Amino acid sequence: MSVQWTRIGLDTGSPVVPPPIPAEELARRWDAVRRGLIDAGLDALLVFGNESEFSSLRYVSDYWPLFESGAAAFAPSGEPILLCGPESEAFAVQRGRMDRVRCIRSLRESADPSYPEVALATYADVLRELAVVSPRRVGIAGSFAANLVIMDELRESLPGASLVRADEIISDLRIVKSAWEAENLRAAFRVSEIALDAVLERLRPGLTEQQVVGIAQAAMYANGAEYEGMAQYVLSGPNSRPAISRPAPRVIGRDEVVQLNISARVNGYSSGVGRPVVVGTPSTAHRDLIEFCRDAHLATRQWLRPGADASEIARNYRQFFTERGRDDAFLYGPCTGLGLMETERPWIETDSNYTIQPGMAFQFDTFAQGPDVGVRWENGCIVHADGVEMLSSRHMDTYTL
């Protein structure tokens, strides 16, 4: 597939930005969804999403809800219908990629307005429009975004239907990336590396974590990011110890570990470039933890190869901690799937039951937790038949500034 890119009009030496998803690729996804729901014995499939859990819905519609929730309705044949909350119709028409848009009450925002003057459709109305009358089995994908309010309206509107969790119809399609998806991952990582460069150039004691986040955000948006892939990790000193956290107004001190994970999003596709840094001189214990974590990261990159057993990679990783006497530093690992989310299926874990295939994309997420700090080395990759393409590699030898 040949991808035509558009260069943004900023004198930043920026990477170029791939175009939105081509219509033919979206049509192929719809065909695959219809085949999947037929194979699963479903009469219809509803794919839900919201502002945070948007990936399945965006995969089939390019629609990313804001404030309200959204959904896409599929039947065994015919064009799907995009569903939105009462306030989002114009937004969904403008940004979604489905010709028909219908508003549903249960997709409203959490303030729970009643919208008494607005004419709204029901789920039964939408399925009848898809020629699905009195459905017996309706699949729910994006199930983490289908909240209790949504499920209550579904049961009321479709009383004769069994509601079946069917996330795998969408998530299985997302495992192997297309050429267009790969280009967006490359672009997202390029933008994240530019933002990391800006952070490392300006990071100094006396700045707050949140001020450093602002440096990263400015560089991302100036260089083509549509949004952040996740909350930017600028976590200093004791704030670095959690594996998951948010930046705070804490002032960064000299000789402190700073856990960085810089993440840009391009056309929905996410990235994460993680580096531990110290402005000054790390303690011996902190230096040992940083270098051990990097060794674990580099070893994992050697184990992940096309045809490798995923569970064996995870067992090797776990054993690496034991052999180095660092069981105390282990929390999880070593890799997650990568795409519309910075962590998506399939993860690489000791109970995984698949082999690494060309077209898969992974995030090497190597985290080690000490008694007072946490450190992370993180990079993305795409698997090819002849090896693994690293999506980020800058500053792997740098951790003191």
Side-chain angles (χ1 to χ4, degrees), residues 155-173:
R155 294 186 185 102
E156 179 181 351
S157 184
L158 306 171
S162 174
L163 303 177
V164 181
R165 185 175 175 184
D167 293 295
E168 69 283 352
I169 293 177
I170 307 300
S171 59
D172 285 355
L173 295 177

Side-chain angles (χ1 to χ4, degrees), residues 281-312:
T281 303
S283 69
T284 299
H286 292 168
R287 176 183 283 109
D288 289 346
L289 186 67
I290 291 169
E291 293 184 354
F292 161 75
C293 189
R294 182 172 59 187
D295 289 346
H297 180 87
L298 295 174
T300 308
R301 285 165 54 167
Q302 295 301 311
W303 298 323
L304 197 153
R305 288 289 180 266
D309 180 86
S311 64
E312 184 177 355

